[in-house]
């Protein structure tokens, strides 16, 4: 009895020692990623200080991840623990948990993954590499939500809605076209590999379509960052950003619909019309359900904690994150839900927050987006050397690059041609070439590919996806500035007077067909007059928009803050609604105006004539506002320019 107690005590000591060592190892692994992010941030500061635009922070994070992966793979070796014991147990399937009876004591073991037969004797040597390999669910449940939410929360709705039709065409129809083009080309490549004996496992047509779906998700974060820094054309920025935001959501739902494709019978990889229609129904159901859930959650996030800003910000944050988890728990897609939740909260809930909470939420999600995005790209570089089951096939890799290029081309050029038939502001050929070049793959493609690496086909897709992401981020992202120059796309901010002339020319061309879509006009009026007064404190009071017979109901639904904010109403979307009214550009004593016919006049005080010669320069360096029927469009100026000094100022005084 005493011997048994001594053995038990010794075993407890050994167990505690192992737990302590495991804790230290986990801390060291997390420290590696923290140091990676720290090094990335310091290098980003150096690049911005030197105005170096060839390499974006995401590409830099991938390089640092690669270097650390090389060190972990070939420079650090943990000696094998001699206590490891390999026992054979023949079962039909691998259990998720396993209870092992060791001398009358039961121990629970969890499944970590499959180990190849030639690596059984080196399990402990690979412990360091397995420690830095995260569960794929970490990406979906922790890292992806802030990235997707920030995309919706920071969306510039004015430019987004102005190009809404084109963005939807690229994001929905274009992604489906790209998916099937890539899937068909890769299926031909797989058949060729099978003929020449280069295929070592099963690879079906549904696998090829799945690969087409995941690599159709674009993430031009590098290009968009450079666009924002260089002040590239806002329509080009809106088209690329809007497409990347929505096609991520489409790619997620499309890939899950392909996985759900199940024909009747034993062979689950044959073509069947009913199974295809069922998958299409799943696509529509999941997307529409996720959309409705995200919008509903965004609408009900109606906080009344303005006096407690910390609690208000915390509640807003938790409601936003819970949207993703709620959608996943209900069988929908969290990416779609949290995206439209962000758009809805930016439109409604943001107006209910206190000024302090508005600043806090913007800064909070911007910070989380930055850290999560750079963490994922660092982990991409690390995974190239730490992932244990890579399958690199040269034929498949070459075929994938060719298919991705052709799939992107089939998305951009035919759709742009069709869209230009109905657009007044045409998508020029150099814009199309830039959109073709800017189709980078990034965080979403990586997260979809790493989520399931159990089969030979999925392992080959994951390894190839890594190379596609590396190439597009480094080569396409790094060559953005050169591509802009090559395509002669202007990226200097135009002076305000030039903007006024553009609007004047647009008003001259205006006919009964308005620049804004009639559907959006109807929605804007309904939203501005009825939804915003109910859901926010920023709309006009319902007492002024509802009929007089609805007076009691209007007074009941209108909050006291709505009356206070009536005179301070500022609607971001109203900048976009162009009506047949006057447009005035005012600076000092000089006013330049234009009406719906396109005629423009200028006037001012006695000094207006003397000031008109310097108007262009004054407007270039000053703070100016374009007034459109009571809505102000602030034109951002470059702070680096010197302030204007008027040599005639003393004479005028």
């Amino acid at each position: 009895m005493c011997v048994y107690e001594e053995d038990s005590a010794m075993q407890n000591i050994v167990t505690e020692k192992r737990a302590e060592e495991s804790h230290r190892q986990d801390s060291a692994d997390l420290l590696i990623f923290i140091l990676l992010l720290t090094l990335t941030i310091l290098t980003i500061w150096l690049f911005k200080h030197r105005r170096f635009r060839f390499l974006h922070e995401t590409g830099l994070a991938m390089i640092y991840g690669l270097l650390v992966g090389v060190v972990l793979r070939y420079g650090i070796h943990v000696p094998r623990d001699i206590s490891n014991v390999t026992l054979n147990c023949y079962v039909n399937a691998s259990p998720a948990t396993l209870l092992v009876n060791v001398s009358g004591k039961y121990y629970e073991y969890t499944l970590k993954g499959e180990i190849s037969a030639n690596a059984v004797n080196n399990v402990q040597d690979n412990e360091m590499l397995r420690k830095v390999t995260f569960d794929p669910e970490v990406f979906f449940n922790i890292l992806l939500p802030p990235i997707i939410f920030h995309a919706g929360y920071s969306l510039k709705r004015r430019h987004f809605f102005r190009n809404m039709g084109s963005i939807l065409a690229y994001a929905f129809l274009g992604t489906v076209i790209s998916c099937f083009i890539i899937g068909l080309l890769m299926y031909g490549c797989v058949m060729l590999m099978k003929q020449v004996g280069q295929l070592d496992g099963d690879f079906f047509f549904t696998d090829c379509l799945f690969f087409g779906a995941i690599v159709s998700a674009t993430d031009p974060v590098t290009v968009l960052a450079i666009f924002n820094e260089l002040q590239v054309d806002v329509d080009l920025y809106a088209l690329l950003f809007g497409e990347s935001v929505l096609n991520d959501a489409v790619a997620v739902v499309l890939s899950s619909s392909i996985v759900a494709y199940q024909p009747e019978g034993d062979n689950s990889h044959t073509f069947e019309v009913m199974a295809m229609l069922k998958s299409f129904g799943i696509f529509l159901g999941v997307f529409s359900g996720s959309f409705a859930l995200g919008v509903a959650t965004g609408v009900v996030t109606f906080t009344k904690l303005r006096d407690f800003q910390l609690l208000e910000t915390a509640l807003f944050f938790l409601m936003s994150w819970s949207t993703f988890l709620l959608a996943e728990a209900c069988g929908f897609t969290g990416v779609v839900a949290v995206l439209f939740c962000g758009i809805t909260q930016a439109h409604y809930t943001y107006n209910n927050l206190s000024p302090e909470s508005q600043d806090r939420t913007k800064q909070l999600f911007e910070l989380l987006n930055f850290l999560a995005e750079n963490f994922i790209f660092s982990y991409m570089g690390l995974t190239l050397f730490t992932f244990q089951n890579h399958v690199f096939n040269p034929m498949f890799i070459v075929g994938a690059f060719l298919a991705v290029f052709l799939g992107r081309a089939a998305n951009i050029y035919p759709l742009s041609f069709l869209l230009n038939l109905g657009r007044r502001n045409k998508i020029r050929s150099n814009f199309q070439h830039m959109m073709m070049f800017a189709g980078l793959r990034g965080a979403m493609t990586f997260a979809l590919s790493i989520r399931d690496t159990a089969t030979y086909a999925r392992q080959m897709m994951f390894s190839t996806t890594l190379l596609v992401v590396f190439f597009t981020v480094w080569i396409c992202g790094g060559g953005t500035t050169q591509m802009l120059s090559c395509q002669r796309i202007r990226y200097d901010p135009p002076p305000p007077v030039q903007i006024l002339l553009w609007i004047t020319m647009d008003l001259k061309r205006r006919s009964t067909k308005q620049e804004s879509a009639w559907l959006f006009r109807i929605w804007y009026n309904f939203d501005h007059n009825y939804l915003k007064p109910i859901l926010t404190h920023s709309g006009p009071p319902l007492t002024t928009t509802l009929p007089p017979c609805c007076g009691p109901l209007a007074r009941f639904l209108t909050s006291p803050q709505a009356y206070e904010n009536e005179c301070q109403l500022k609607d971001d979307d109203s900048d976009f609604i162009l009506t047949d009214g006057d447009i005035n550009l005012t600076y000092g004593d000089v006013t330049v105006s234009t009406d719906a016919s396109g005629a423009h006049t200028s006037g001012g005080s006695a000094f207006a004539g003397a000031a008109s010669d310097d108007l262009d320069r004054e407007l270039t360096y000053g703070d100016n506002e374009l007034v459109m029927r009571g809505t102000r469009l602030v034109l951002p100026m470059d702070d680096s320019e010197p302030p204007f000094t008027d040599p005639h100022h003393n004479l005028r005084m």
Side-chain angles (χ1 to χ4, degrees):
M1 185 65 180
C2 293
V3 175
Y4 176 78
E5 291 179 354
E6 291 178 359
D7 292 341
S8 179
M10 289 296 296
Q11 193 169 10
N12 290 336
I13 294 175
V14 172
T15 302
E16 292 177 359
K17 184 178 180 181
R18 288 179 179 175
E20 184 178 355
E21 292 177 353
S22 178
H23 171 71
R24 291 178 179 176
Q25 184 65 53
D26 292 339
S27 301
D29 296 336
L30 291 177
L31 180 62
I32 291 175
F33 290 101
I34 298 299
L35 293 178
L36 275 175
L37 292 177
T38 304
L39 186 60
T40 302
I41 291 173
L42 293 177
T43 313
I44 291 170
W45 170 83
L46 180 63
F47 280 12
K48 289 184 179 294
H49 182 69
R50 300 292 183 181
R51 297 183 181 273
F52 183 74
R53 297 193 181 100
F54 181 74
L55 187 63
H56 188 252
E57 58 227 36
T58 54
L60 186 66
M62 293 168 65
I63 292 177
Y64 286 145
L66 281 171
L67 296 177
V68 173
V70 170
V71 173
L72 294 179
R73 179 80 176 186
Y74 302 107
I76 298 178
H77 296 281
V78 179
R80 187 173 63 177
D81 191 346
I82 60 173
S83 64
N84 284 341
V85 177
T86 302
L87 299 177
N88 294 325
C89 180
Y90 298 97
V91 293
N92 294 328
S94 56
T97 59
L98 189 65
L99 295 178
V100 179
N101 185 351
V102 180
S103 301
K105 288 188 175 182
Y106 290 90
Y107 298 90
E108 181 181 3
Y109 293 85
T110 58
L111 178 67
K112 285 189 174 181
E114 182 182 0
I115 301 173
S116 58
N118 56 359
V120 172
N121 296 325
N122 298 319
V123 172
Q124 192 63 27
D125 288 338
N126 294 332
E127 183 66 20
M128 183 69 177
L129 302 182
R130 293 196 296 117
K131 282 280 189 178
V132 296
T133 303
F134 286 93
D135 188 342
E137 294 303 317
V138 172
F139 290 95
F140 264 82
N141 295 331
I142 297 179
L143 297 178
L144 272 185
I147 295 176
I148 302 299
F149 181 85
H150 178 263
Y153 195 57
S154 62
L155 184 69
K156 292 180 175 61
R157 297 185 300 281
R158 180 171 61 252
H159 304 302
F160 180 84
F161 284 114
R162 185 166 60 194
N163 297 277
M164 186 60 150
S166 301
I167 290 173
L168 291 177
Y170 288 127
F172 284 86
L173 187 58
T175 303
V176 174
I177 292 174
S178 176
C179 170
F180 278 91
I181 292 294
I182 295 175
L184 290 172
L185 292 176
M186 292 312 300
Y187 187 66
C189 179
V190 168
M191 291 296 100
L192 180 60
M193 292 168 57
K194 186 178 294 184
Q195 292 294 328
V196 298
Q198 293 291 322
L199 198 64
D200 298 330
D202 293 331
F203 212 116
F204 302 102
F205 180 62
T206 51
D207 295 322
C208 297
L209 284 181
F210 180 81
F211 179 74
I214 64 175
V215 297
S216 295
T218 59
D219 185 19
V221 57
T222 304
V223 177
L224 293 176
I226 296 176
F227 278 13
N228 188 51
E229 183 179 353
L230 297 179
Q231 298 292 314
V232 178
D233 185 272
V234 291
D235 286 332
L236 177 59
Y237 184 94
L239 288 173
L240 272 176
F241 182 76
E243 181 207 3
S244 66
V245 167
L246 290 181
N247 90 331
D248 281 353
V250 175
V252 172
V253 182
L254 189 60
S255 61
S256 62
S257 302
I258 294 173
V259 172
Y261 176 80
Q262 288 293 337
E264 296 180 358
D266 297 333
N267 192 352
S268 61
H269 299 283
T270 58
F271 177 77
E272 187 176 294
V273 177
M274 292 303 299
M276 185 187 68
L277 293 177
K278 182 179 178 181
S279 295
F280 181 71
I282 292 175
F283 173 84
L284 293 179
V286 171
F287 193 93
S288 58
S290 304
F291 169 80
L293 182 62
V295 171
T297 309
V299 167
V300 300
T301 310
F302 191 90
T303 62
K304 291 187 177 181
L305 306 177
R306 296 172 61 90
D307 296 333
F308 306 94
Q309 290 82 21
L310 181 61
L311 299 180
E312 186 180 38
T313 305
L315 179 62
F316 183 90
F317 173 77
L318 294 177
M319 288 293 293
S320 306
W321 205 306
S322 63
T323 304
F324 183 92
L325 301 177
L326 178 62
E328 292 289 334
C330 294
F332 297 121
T333 301
V335 172
V336 179
V338 78
L339 170 64
F340 287 99
C341 175
I343 296 175
T344 305
Q345 288 183 335
H347 190 60
Y348 296 113
T349 312
Y350 180 81
N351 296 294
N352 298 329
L353 300 176
S354 61
E356 294 82 0
S357 296
Q358 289 178 350
D359 294 336
R360 284 180 177 179
T361 53
K362 280 188 174 181
Q363 295 171 0
L364 173 63
F365 283 105
E366 185 178 5
L367 174 64
L368 292 176
N369 170 73
F370 175 81
L371 293 177
E373 204 162 56
N374 282 278
F375 182 91
I376 289 179
F377 279 94
S378 298
Y379 187 72
M380 286 185 199
L382 194 71
T383 307
L384 187 63
F385 291 97
T386 59
F387 185 68
Q388 299 294 302
N389 299 310
H390 275 305
V391 178
F392 293 104
N393 190 296
M395 289 188 63
F396 190 85
I397 293 172
V398 173
F401 274 92
L402 181 62
V404 168
F405 177 81
L406 294 178
R408 182 68 179 172
N411 175 359
I412 297 299
Y413 295 115
L415 288 181
S416 299
F417 173 78
L418 295 176
L419 290 171
N420 281 337
L421 298 178
R423 282 178 63 102
R424 299 185 63 191
N425 183 21
K426 307 297 183 184
I427 304 174
R428 304 195 299 269
S429 59
N430 57 347
F431 280 17
Q432 298 177 32
H433 299 330
M434 192 67 223
M435 293 177 66
M436 170 72 188
F437 183 81
L440 281 66
R441 273 62 179 178
M444 182 59 67
T445 300
F446 173 76
L448 289 173
S449 61
I450 200 177
R451 199 172 191 182
D452 182 8
T453 56
T455 63
Y456 169 81
R458 296 297 178 89
Q459 292 168 3
M460 185 185 296
M461 283 189 280
F462 173 68
S463 303
T464 306
T465 298
L466 277 180
L467 299 182
V468 171
V469 173
F470 291 160
F471 178 85
T472 56
V473 171
W474 287 337
I475 304 302
C476 298
T480 300
T481 307
Q482 291 76 12
M483 188 65 178
L484 288 172
S485 301
C486 178
Q487 295 299 321
R488 297 183 179 180
I489 297 176
R490 180 189 178 117
Y491 52 81
D492 293 325
V497 172
Q498 183 66 37
I499 296 178
L500 177 65
L501 294 178
W502 290 345
I503 298 178
T504 304
M505 293 172 60
D506 180 75
L507 289 176
K508 286 182 178 181
R509 295 192 302 265
R510 180 170 300 185
S511 59
T512 55
K513 181 178 179 180
Q514 300 294 328
E515 179 71 19
S516 305
W518 63 271
L519 182 61
F520 180 71
R521 285 177 171 273
I522 295 175
W523 160 252
Y524 170 79
N525 291 328
F526 177 75
D527 175 65
H528 182 267
N529 294 330
Y530 303 109
L531 290 183
K532 275 199 169 182
I534 296 176
L535 300 175
T536 72
H537 307 306
S538 63
L542 286 174
T543 52
T544 62
T545 59
L546 287 177
C549 61
C550 301
L553 179 63
R555 288 189 294 270
F556 174 75
L557 294 176
T558 303
S559 63
Q561 291 87 346
Y563 295 104
E564 299 174 2
N565 299 335
E566 182 178 7
C567 297
Q568 304 175 0
L569 179 62
K570 181 181 182 301
D571 196 329
D572 294 335
D573 292 337
S574 62
D575 298 346
F576 163 65
I577 304 296
L578 296 179
T579 57
D580 296 328
D582 295 337
I583 297 179
N584 300 320
L585 180 63
T586 305
Y587 189 86
D589 297 326
V590 181
T591 300
V592 181
S593 63
T594 180
D595 55 21
S597 64
H600 59 277
T601 59
S602 62
S605 65
F607 299 106
S612 60
D613 295 336
D614 299 325
L615 179 60
D616 290 348
R617 186 178 178 189
E618 287 194 66
L619 293 180
T620 303
Y621 302 135
D623 294 329
N624 318 293
E625 293 177 349
L626 186 64
V627 183
M628 299 165 52
R629 296 281 296 224
T631 300
R632 304 190 308 175
L633 176 62
V634 179
L635 304 174
M637 297 294 107
D638 188 357
D639 296 335
S640 63
E641 298 291 351
F644 170 73
T645 57
D646 188 357
H648 305 290
H649 179 71
N650 294 330
L651 295 177
R652 296 178 186 179
M653 296 299 293

